């Protein structure tokens, strides 16, 4: 894994939620997801009722997160994205535990999870005021 991908995955590991982007019937869409990072893979948990997983499985997707609403005063703003092929995933008991509690409902429908995995092929990181570059200089 190159330094950009490693930094992107490391930043994702420090967040809980993000957005997956792909297309469905030639139309782009974003869907929220809970994620964890395991052995360099980004594992997602999405609500089955939305059906977005059907467009993701077997496709190249982008997955991103940021700290735009959670950065503390003086902390650098950043946004990260990884791109890779998405596949269905059967989580282990330990992975399920790491995902934490699931919501009871999504859009008024009882929540049923579907799990996916992304093997990042490349990643991008953008930050304001070079804060991340200074913080993670030892990794680059």
């Amino acid at each position: 894994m190159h330094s950009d991908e490693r930094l992107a995955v490391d930043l994702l590991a420090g967040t809980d939620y993000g957005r997956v982007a792909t297309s469905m019937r030639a139309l782009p869409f974003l869907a929220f997801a809970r994620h964890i990072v395991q052995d360099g893979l980004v594992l997602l948990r999405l609500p089955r009722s939305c059906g977005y997983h059907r467009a993701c499985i077997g496709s190249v997707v982008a997955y991103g997160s940021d700290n735009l609403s959670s950065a503390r005063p003086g902390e650098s703003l950043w946004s990260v994205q990884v791109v890779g092929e998405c596949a269905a995933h059967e989580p282990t008991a330990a992975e399920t535990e790491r995902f934490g509690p699931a919501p009871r409902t999504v859009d008024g429908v009882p929540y049923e999870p579907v799990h996916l995995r992304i093997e990042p092929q490349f990643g991008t990181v953008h930050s304001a005021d070079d804060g991340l570059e200074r913080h993670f200089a030892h990794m680059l």
Side-chain angles (χ1 to χ4, degrees):
M1 189 179 296
H2 294 103
S3 62
D4 288 343
E5 289 85 21
R6 185 174 45 243
L7 178 56
V9 170
D10 287 346
L11 287 168
L12 280 174
T15 62
D16 294 330
Y17 293 90
R19 290 158 299 283
V20 63
T22 192
S23 63
M24 186 182 314
R25 296 183 211 100
L27 296 174
F29 74 88
L30 290 173
F32 73 92
R34 170 75 169 96
H35 69 267
I36 61 172
V37 173
Q38 181 71 39
D39 299 326
L41 299 173
V42 179
L43 306 181
L44 308 179
R45 181 179 72 189
L46 289 88
R48 184 177 300 275
S49 61
C50 294
Y52 295 140
H53 63 285
R54 292 190 294 269
C56 294
I57 294 173
S59 297
V60 173
V61 302
Y63 187 76
S65 190
D66 57 56
N67 75 338
L68 300 178
S69 65
S70 64
R72 290 177 242 157
E75 187 176 25
S76 178
L77 297 175
W78 57 264
S79 124
V80 60
Q81 168 181 278
V82 294
V83 175
E85 187 171 350
C86 186
H89 182 74
E90 186 63 41
T92 65
E95 290 168 350
T96 299
E97 185 174 321
R98 285 186 57 210
F99 274 112
R104 288 189 308 270
T105 63
V106 170
D107 297 332
V109 176
Y111 185 81
E112 181 185 352
V114 62
H115 293 89
L116 307 174
R117 76 171 176 270
I118 302 168
E119 183 173 349
Q121 298 302 304
F122 67 90
T124 56
V125 176
H126 299 286
S127 68
D129 299 327
D130 298 325
L132 282 178
E133 289 79 2
R134 288 191 305 271
H135 184 75
F136 287 101
H138 66 280
M139 295 177 64
L140 302 175

